[in-house]
Amino acid sequence: MTLATEAPVEVEPVVPRARVARRFLRNPLGAASAALLAIVILAAVLVPLLGLPDPNAVSLRDAMAGPSPHHLLGSDSSGRDVLSRLLWGSRINLLGAALAVAIALVIGVTCGLIAGYYGGWFDGVSTWVNNLTMALPGIVVLLAVRAVVGPSVWIAMAVFGVLLFPGFFRVVRGAVQSVRNELYVDAARVSGLGDARILGRHILTVVRAPVIIQTARLLGIGIAIQAGLEFLGVSDSSVPSWGSMINDGFRKIALNPILILWPSLAVGIVCMALVLFANALRDALE
């Protein structure tokens, strides 16, 4: 009697989530950055419930006022509360950066997986589009978009997300090309798994660490670029944002230098926390 046997499928070891969490929390920089990001996100979500003054309420009598019980961080050149505008502005900046990175993530990871796994004509075309996109001057493109569609931060960040996709494409394509002929991938093909399941179960797990670090890096870039665009006026002036606050502080820097401090700190600290968070999570996953 002949016994039918199946060739064993070699799979990658998967680190349990509990172990990843323990490794991550043992890293003091990772835990501190995660706590800081959680506080920023929580403040952005709960700002309507905090009872702060209207961020657009103008009071010329309170213009350039220092910190007080009514204005904890003082007021700007129009008498608007700095703390209120800082927290309401965090919503705009975080959501705008998240929109740009989400668009770049979907386009870049999808095209990188297909191009790296299959190669052929799709790889050639997508690589050509990737190089063309990288050659475009991003700020010039965004200024042109502003001239056509008006000062909409959401449209500007959506276009910026398209310009950011090469950051994911190059990382994912290179990682997929390095593992597509590994033994565990060949074994998965022999066992009858389709390409979609191989990409989702075996190859996508290989690229998750570089994608995570790239996501955090591009989130920081998105926040900084959005603040820069708002500083240049590529946004609705009636919407509070960190970039418009930096613009106002820069124009009044001789009269009240501290006005430029708070939004600049917000941009710098959040970008730093994102990089530290991604590095710690990458180390935990590996």
Side-chain angles (χ1 to χ4, degrees):
M1 181 175 63
T2 303
L3 296 177
T5 59
E6 294 184 357
V9 178
E10 184 180 345
V11 296
E12 289 187 292
V14 179
V15 181
R17 294 181 181 178
R19 188 182 303 175
V20 171
R22 286 195 299 269
R23 289 179 180 176
F24 179 82
L25 294 176
R26 288 196 194 105
N27 187 331
L29 290 178
S33 61
L36 180 59
L37 290 173
I39 291 172
V40 172
I41 294 172
L42 192 63
V45 172
L46 298 180
V47 63
L49 306 177
L50 298 180
L52 295 173
D54 185 346
N56 290 320
V58 175
S59 176
L60 297 180
R61 181 178 56 185
D62 297 328
M64 309 291 285
S68 67
H70 297 290
H71 303 288
L72 296 180
L73 296 181
S75 58
D76 63 9
S77 58
S78 299
R80 298 170 295 190
D81 186 76
V82 171
L83 178 60
S84 179
R85 290 181 63 80
L86 197 67
L87 294 182
W88 279 100
S90 65
R91 283 188 150 197
I92 302 299
N93 285 84
L94 294 179
L95 288 175
L99 172 64
V101 173
I103 292 173
L105 186 69
V106 171
I107 299 175
V109 172
T110 302
C111 293
L113 284 173
I114 297 173
Y117 187 75
Y118 291 106
W121 68 268
F122 185 86
D123 184 22
V125 172
S126 57
T127 301
W128 181 83
V129 173
N130 171 81
N131 296 335
L132 176 64
T133 305
M134 291 180 64
L136 293 175
I139 295 295
V140 175
V141 172
L142 293 174
L143 290 176
V145 170
R146 193 241 187 224
V148 174
V149 303
S152 172
V153 66
W154 306 115
I155 295 177
M157 294 311 291
V159 173
F160 186 59
V162 176
L163 298 177
L164 280 180
F165 95 88
F168 288 110
F169 175 82
R170 291 181 292 110
V171 170
V172 174
R173 176 178 174 271
V176 173
Q177 285 180 333
S178 66
V179 301
R180 66 182 178 185
N181 293 321
E182 292 288 338
L183 291 177
Y184 66 88
V185 177
D186 292 335
R189 292 194 191 101
V190 171
S191 68
L193 291 181
D195 289 341
R197 295 190 64 186
I198 293 175
L199 286 170
R201 291 182 55 184
H202 300 290
I203 293 181
L204 193 58
T205 57
V206 175
V207 303
R208 64 180 179 179
V211 165
I212 288 171
I213 187 69
Q214 192 74 346
T215 298
R217 175 177 171 270
L218 293 182
L219 276 172
I221 291 175
I223 290 174
I225 290 295
Q226 183 179 351
L229 291 173
E230 292 160 348
F231 177 81
L232 295 175
V234 187
S235 64
D236 187 350
S237 59
S238 65
V239 178
S241 63
W242 292 344
S244 61
M245 293 180 68
I246 293 175
N247 180 286
D248 183 68
F250 180 76
R251 288 187 287 108
K252 303 296 181 181
I253 193 170
L255 299 176
N256 191 356
I258 202 171
L259 277 180
I260 203 173
L261 173 65
W262 304 118
S264 301
L265 276 178
V267 173
I269 289 175
V270 170
C271 292
M272 179 185 65
L274 284 167
V275 173
L276 293 176
F277 176 84
N279 285 333
L281 187 55
R282 180 197 59 189
D283 295 340
L285 288 171
E286 292 178 350

